[in-house]
Amino acid sequence: QASSSAASTKKGVESAAPELKDGDGSMPQASEESCATLAFPSISTADFRFDHEKAANIIVETVSEFFSRAESSGLRLVLVDIDQGSDMLSRVRSKAESAGLDSRKFLVTHGDITKLHSTGGPRCSVIANAANWRLKGGGGGVNLAIYRAAGDDFEEATKKYAKTLDPGKVVAVPLPASSPLRTKEGVTHVIHVLGPNMNPQRPNCIADDYSQGCRLLRQCYAALFSTFASIAK
Ligand code: AR6
């Protein structure tokens, strides 16, 4: 469902996920060996400079909320960071343990989100991207890595679903059949997420407004997890 303006995009974004069909019908099924799994980076906490402690609390709370709902049955979430000594992974690991989260359903791991399966990590049918509002490749961070790994057609594939993204919103994009991310890693969809931006050098900066920032970051994760659940079912 293509959208051609920011206004129609917003509507399209909100309704896109449940209508998504996997391109070649090869969506992995949940099983003991391979639960449908979403790998996601810590949204907004690097280039967008969101406070790590607040972000770690939000991740653990939204993950807990997700696993308390029926839609999460048979699904698995993986927080991943390429940074070996990741402060976010340490914070989330310890908070997840305190919250009693099941470590078989919620994994916290170091690695490159675009190479998890081929480097011996969990097989993830869906990965999340910390996107920019224009949904453009390049820039830096995980966005650059995902667009590179997904191949040349990925930006065009994304634009069929949304032209731009508002903070707090997500849009799911099925990977083209020829995408190396699909053929080598078994990833069928990328869910773009636009987190709140606290960096004055980037667009839509909300400065130190953490009341709005926390609300938007919660909204991101809630939308990300339920969109993943819609894809996996
Ligand atoms: N695999 C796993 N984690 C990664 C990878 C990777 N390949 N690369 C980075 N990370 P960031 P943001 C982690 O800056 O703060 C972009 O330029 C990283 O260590 O990518 O939401 C976009 O275009 C950190 O924990 O996202 C936006 O303009 C996490 O991914 C802007 O940055 C998010 O870091 C978004 O900023």
Side-chain angles (χ1 to χ4, degrees):
Q1 183 181 334
S3 309
S4 57
S5 69
S8 63
T9 291
K10 194 174 165 191
K11 203 169 164 221
V13 166
E14 285 164 349
S15 62
E19 294 160 18
L20 286 170
K21 294 280 176 285
D22 182 40
D24 64 1
S26 63
M27 174 78 74
Q29 296 301 303
S31 73
E32 272 186 20
E33 276 189 355
S34 75
C35 294
T37 303
L38 166 74
F40 65 99
S42 170
I43 305 294
S44 288
T45 53
D47 194 44
F48 279 179
R49 299 189 192 166
F50 199 94
D51 178 86
H52 284 194
E53 180 67 9
K54 290 183 172 62
N57 283 330
I58 289 170
I59 290 172
V60 172
E61 285 161 21
T62 51
V63 168
S64 302
E65 281 159 23
F66 177 65
F67 283 123
S68 72
R69 290 200 302 272
E71 65 172 348
S72 68
S73 164
L75 304 182
R76 204 166 56 148
L77 302 177
V78 182
L79 173 66
V80 57
D81 195 340
I82 198 161
D83 177 7
Q84 185 110 41
S86 168
D87 174 61
M88 279 307 299
L89 292 190
S90 311
R91 287 176 195 261
V92 171
R93 244 186 226 120
S94 96
K95 287 176 193 295
E97 203 181 319
S98 305
L101 276 168
D102 183 342
S103 60
R104 289 163 302 179
K105 287 181 174 178
F106 179 47
L107 286 69
V108 179
T109 187
H110 159 256
D112 183 339
I113 201 166
T114 66
K115 295 183 186 145
L116 282 175
H117 183 55
S118 60
T119 53
R123 187 183 177 95
C124 299
S125 48
V126 182
I127 63 173
N129 179 31
N132 54 63
W133 76 279
R134 285 182 193 277
L135 295 168
K136 298 282 277 182
V142 74
N143 185 72
L144 177 64
I146 289 177
Y147 272 85
R148 266 195 189 147
D152 292 340
D153 298 337
F154 181 57
E155 191 160 324
E156 200 186 319
T158 292
K159 296 295 175 180
K160 286 186 195 151
Y161 288 86
K163 304 284 185 213
T164 61
L165 206 54
D166 290 335
K169 299 286 182 189
V170 308
V171 61
V173 178
L175 280 167
S178 61
S179 168
L181 209 44
R182 182 188 273 265
T183 55
K184 289 190 194 154
E185 302 292 328
V187 177
T188 63
H189 293 75
V190 172
I191 304 177
H192 295 289
V193 183
L194 183 63
N197 172 33
M198 303 315 206
N199 180 352
Q201 291 167 331
R202 298 286 178 265
N204 305 314
C205 175
I206 57 172
D208 265 346
D209 183 354
Y210 271 100
S211 127
Q212 190 186 358
C214 289
R215 184 180 57 75
L216 287 172
L217 194 60
R218 259 173 219 290
Q219 199 181 310
C220 283
Y221 285 115
L224 171 63
F225 300 152
S226 65
T227 300
F228 164 55
S230 310
I231 292 170
K233 296 294 162 195

